[in-house]
Amino acid sequence: MDLLIRNATLPDGRSGVDIAMADGRIQAVGSALAVSAAQEIDAGGNLVTPPLVDAHFHMDATLSYGLPRVNSSGTLLEGIALWGELKPVLTQEALVARAMQYCDWAVARGLLAIRSHVDICDDRLLAVEALLHVKRQVAPYLDLQLVAFPQDGLLRSPSAFANLKRAIAMGVDVVGGIPHFERTMADGAESVRLLCEFAAEKGLRVDMHCDESDDPMSRHIETLAFHAQRLGLQGRVTGSHLTSMHSMDNYYVSKLLPLIREAGVAAIANPLINITLQGRHDSYPKRRGMTRVPEMLAAGIDVAFGHDCVMDPWYSLGSGDMLEVAHMGLHVAQMTGQEAMHACFLAVTETPARILGLSGYGLTPGCNADLVVLDARSTVEAIRLRAGRRYVIRRGKVISQSPAIQATLALPGRPATVDFRLHPG
Ligand SMILES: [Zn+2]
């Protein structure tokens, strides 16, 4: 074997597990495996998980904070206007450099798969070319999936549909959209129809920014579910944000959720961004603006948490840590029950892996040998601590490593190191 991890705890709670890897794949999972390996890691009972996955990101905008100026109001609409000011002065070199820096951060955080939207409304498609280049560069250590995103509106921006088709022809993976940003509700619905039909024709997945609004009448998710079902796109369509659902009438939602489930449409909430950008027109009480995560999970709908933004026109914070995203999602959705907290961990690991359609993701023999050893004993503790990523492993090789937190205390009679785990033993 190339690499052997001893004494791991798995996300499902099994403990004392060894994982043996060779030829880039997991070969065996079990207790006290009688194998030897070139390298052995003692997990010491800590959690070993498949990599973190971000189902919703904007890598063309990331790390551009302050260019050409900062978002002074901190609102979604000023963010979109600011991005419009930045687009004409973007250079491919700078865009690639920022994206590559972000990928370094991601790997160090155990984040090894990202679905990033890329704005296709710039006729030069400069960001598309740049991110396709980045995708090839980072492929050995990170899966980057790209979504053709018409930020200025598919119908509202004259060349958007033609550009979207060009981007797909160049190698972009997924069809995006933004129906709530079209000029009318009717145009929004028409954009959903056009995009779903295009995706069905090309055999592609769909992931739309959908109803990112506090307007309870923004119901494009209903149209998205309708066309997904009509065109047989079950399991391949995702609605991102869906924040209007927070404000919708409860009776309407009770009809809507089974329709989403029946259409096999997945949902992505972006807790850091939703909690800061939604509810901005409210006085008090202020709405939280995140979509109905526990209700959708209870209805059998796949729900992932996305990071959405890191240091860009919309959000001035973030560092690529999906455990921070899960932490915020847990709080905003009040998912504090034991099973609910565990579900928040799944929302940044196996659920988004399913939404992206990643192959070889998981912890069974034959899966890719892609793993993260965390400084925590359980999924809940991992979220509580935003636990250190001791080892990040890709195809059976350690690609990032960080030491345990060691703080020397001067207090007499106390241990010389601090252990943030409960009952460390
Ligand atoms: Zn987004």
Side-chain angles (χ1 to χ4, degrees):
M1 296 292 167
D2 300 326
L3 179 61
L4 177 63
I5 298 179
R6 292 274 188 208
N7 193 18
T9 299
L10 306 187
D12 64 12
R14 277 180 289 160
S15 59
V17 177
D18 298 346
I19 304 166
M21 292 159 264
D23 304 323
R25 295 193 181 275
I26 294 173
Q27 302 293 339
V29 179
S31 57
L33 291 179
V35 294
S36 60
Q39 188 184 358
E40 198 170 309
I41 293 171
D42 180 7
N46 275 336
L47 184 66
V48 177
T49 174
L52 294 150
V53 180
D54 184 1
H56 189 110
F57 195 61
H58 293 265
M59 205 174 279
D60 50 357
T62 197
L63 309 197
S64 67
Y65 179 72
L67 298 175
R69 60 183 177 84
V70 298
N71 181 336
S72 56
S73 65
T75 59
L76 173 60
L77 292 179
E78 186 177 342
I80 293 174
L82 187 47
W83 177 237
E85 290 170 37
L86 176 58
K87 260 196 274 191
V89 296
L90 281 176
T91 69
Q92 212 159 39
E93 296 71 31
L95 209 150
V96 167
R98 289 195 288 265
M100 292 299 290
Q101 185 181 4
Y102 184 76
C103 289
D104 290 341
W105 295 5
V107 168
R109 300 293 200 191
L111 169 55
L112 301 188
I114 300 174
R115 174 182 277 182
S116 173
H117 295 254
V118 50
D119 186 356
I120 51 81
C121 287
D122 167 12
D123 290 339
R124 299 170 300 168
L125 293 185
L126 177 145
V128 171
E129 277 182 11
L131 289 192
L132 284 169
H133 173 73
V134 170
K135 176 180 168 154
R136 288 189 294 270
Q137 293 290 113
V138 301
Y141 60 97
L142 188 153
D143 295 306
L144 179 58
Q145 188 179 80
L146 299 176
V147 185
F149 175 46
Q151 171 78 72
D152 300 333
L154 186 81
L155 300 173
R156 192 169 166 180
S157 169
S159 52
F161 205 4
N163 288 353
L164 184 143
K165 289 174 178 171
R166 280 169 57 210
I168 294 293
M170 287 163 69
V172 170
D173 309 277
V174 177
V175 176
I178 186 165
H180 58 277
F181 197 70
E182 303 291 350
R183 286 197 168 87
T184 63
M185 291 286 189
D187 269 7
E190 177 65 0
S191 77
V192 173
R193 183 183 71 82
L194 290 168
L195 290 162
C196 286
E197 288 181 355
F198 175 68
E201 182 193 313
K202 296 282 178 188
L204 299 171
R205 288 171 188 270
V206 175
D207 186 343
M208 290 190 198
H209 285 65
C210 193
D211 305 324
E212 187 180 3
S213 156
D214 291 316
D215 174 8
M217 296 313 291
S218 188
R219 294 176 169 187
H220 296 294
I221 179 59
E222 178 188 271
T223 309
L224 184 62
F226 170 74
H227 289 298
Q229 198 266 342
R230 177 177 71 86
L231 295 164
L233 294 171
Q234 285 89 344
R236 286 157 55 193
V237 176
T238 301
S240 278
H241 290 292
L242 307 178
T243 52
S244 73
M245 197 189 292
H246 188 93
S247 302
M248 282 173 182
D249 170 69
N250 288 334
Y251 183 84
Y252 174 68
V253 172
S254 74
K255 178 198 171 198
L256 177 64
L257 296 188
L259 291 175
I260 297 173
R261 169 76 178 87
E262 178 192 49
V265 171
I268 298 170
N270 296 294
L272 295 163
I273 306 309
N274 300 151
I275 196 69
T276 48
L277 293 185
Q278 301 303 312
R280 293 297 280 256
H281 292 69
D282 294 358
S283 59
Y284 288 94
K286 269 185 200 289
R287 285 169 287 180
R288 294 160 193 236
M290 192 168 79
T291 194
R292 302 190 188 198
V293 175
E295 291 78 7
M296 282 196 280
L297 288 171
I301 298 163
D302 269 346
V303 186
F305 289 142
H307 206 317
D308 202 2
C309 301
V310 170
M311 303 197 77
D312 68 10
W314 298 274
Y315 189 61
S316 53
L317 305 171
S319 68
D321 186 353
M322 293 308 294
L323 291 176
E324 183 185 337
V325 172
H327 190 263
M328 178 59 82
L330 183 157
H331 285 77
V332 177
Q334 300 181 329
M335 291 174 67
T336 49
Q338 287 298 311
E339 268 184 48
M341 290 194 283
H342 178 67
C344 290
F345 186 85
L346 299 183
V348 293
T349 50
E350 61 178 59
T351 308
R354 200 156 53 237
I355 290 172
L356 267 65
L358 295 179
S359 62
Y361 183 92
L363 268 175
T364 50
C367 286
N368 293 329
D370 299 352
L371 297 167
V372 183
V373 183
L374 289 154
D375 220 348
R377 298 290 177 89
S378 69
T379 56
V380 174
E381 193 165 66
I383 293 174
R384 177 177 71 85
L385 297 173
R386 272 78 82 215
R389 272 123 273 203
R390 299 294 305 283
Y391 298 93
V392 179
I393 294 156
R394 173 84 165 177
R395 305 295 193 262
K397 292 192 174 63
V398 175
I399 58 170
S400 175
Q401 210 173 324
S402 41
I405 295 173
Q406 303 266 324
T408 303
L409 295 183
L411 288 176
R414 297 296 306 149
T417 57
V418 172
D419 194 328
F420 287 97
R421 297 170 306 175
L422 189 63
H423 313 309

